[in-house]
Amino acid sequence: MNEELISQYINDTFDSIEAVMAMGNTFFFYDPERKFPFATLVTTDDEYDQFSNLSRPSVFRLSIGISKATYRSRFGAEPFTSNAVDSGYDFTALDQVMPHPVYGRMYWVCILNPSAATFQAVIQPLLAEAYELDVSKHAKRKTRE
């Protein structure tokens, strides 16, 4: 899988999505106010996050905001809150779902360069969950207005 195919899948699969590109990265929003994306495709390191070594040729990271329950079922009771370097995860590994090195404490997961098999079996259901969570959050905000 590559970034283009993943972007196409997200845009073709989920309703009312806005994909916003900035500095070579793509942020996928359901919320028209763009408060927080439900998924991101990041292709470059920045000053705050160099854990995945995205400066390698053709390496990208797909990040997905999932539910607390799903996160816990995959990784245990609580996200790591200490330094990501000391977390025990190799954030440079390809095709492995792991906590996000920066946003894991907010129940975000990530994967670098997912294979087609991993994308279909693991990532598609996580994207569907993230999208539904975002739709639900937006609907709740609308009812409070």
Side-chain angles (χ1 to χ4, degrees):
M1 297 290 299
N2 61 36
E3 304 103 302
E4 184 178 322
L5 290 172
I6 292 170
S7 290
Q8 182 179 352
Y9 172 82
I10 293 170
N11 286 312
D12 290 351
T13 303
F14 304 111
D15 293 331
S16 304
I17 294 302
E18 185 173 359
V20 176
M21 295 193 71
M23 298 179 292
N25 303 315
T26 308
F27 303 86
F28 298 95
F29 295 91
Y30 170 78
D31 181 358
E33 297 172 9
R34 297 187 208 154
K35 291 186 184 253
F36 207 72
F38 70 91
T40 65
L41 272 171
V42 178
T43 59
T44 58
D45 293 322
D46 65 26
E47 62 189 88
Y48 305 105
D49 178 1
Q50 300 167 5
F51 298 104
S52 298
N53 190 17
L54 297 176
S55 60
R56 296 175 284 169
S58 302
V59 175
F60 65 92
R61 180 174 63 210
L62 173 64
S63 302
I64 307 166
I66 60 174
S67 71
K68 184 186 293 189
T70 300
Y71 185 97
R72 287 179 171 175
S73 73
R74 294 191 69 87
F75 303 111
E78 290 298 326
F80 61 88
T81 55
S82 63
N83 188 337
V85 173
D86 300 326
S87 69
Y89 292 96
D90 177 2
F91 296 109
T92 65
L94 304 179
D95 198 31
Q96 293 183 23
V97 177
M98 62 191 96
H100 190 284
V102 176
Y103 299 110
R105 65 183 171 272
M106 296 170 61
Y107 306 105
W108 276 65
V109 298
C110 66
I111 185 167
L112 276 61
N113 295 50
S115 66
T118 301
F119 187 80
Q120 183 176 19
V122 180
I123 301 304
Q124 287 179 352
L126 293 177
L127 284 167
E129 177 179 305
Y131 172 78
E132 291 302 324
L133 282 170
D134 211 28
V135 169
S136 175
K137 286 177 194 175
H138 184 66
K140 287 177 185 175
R141 276 197 306 264
K142 291 291 260 188
T143 61
R144 289 189 294 236
E145 294 177 354

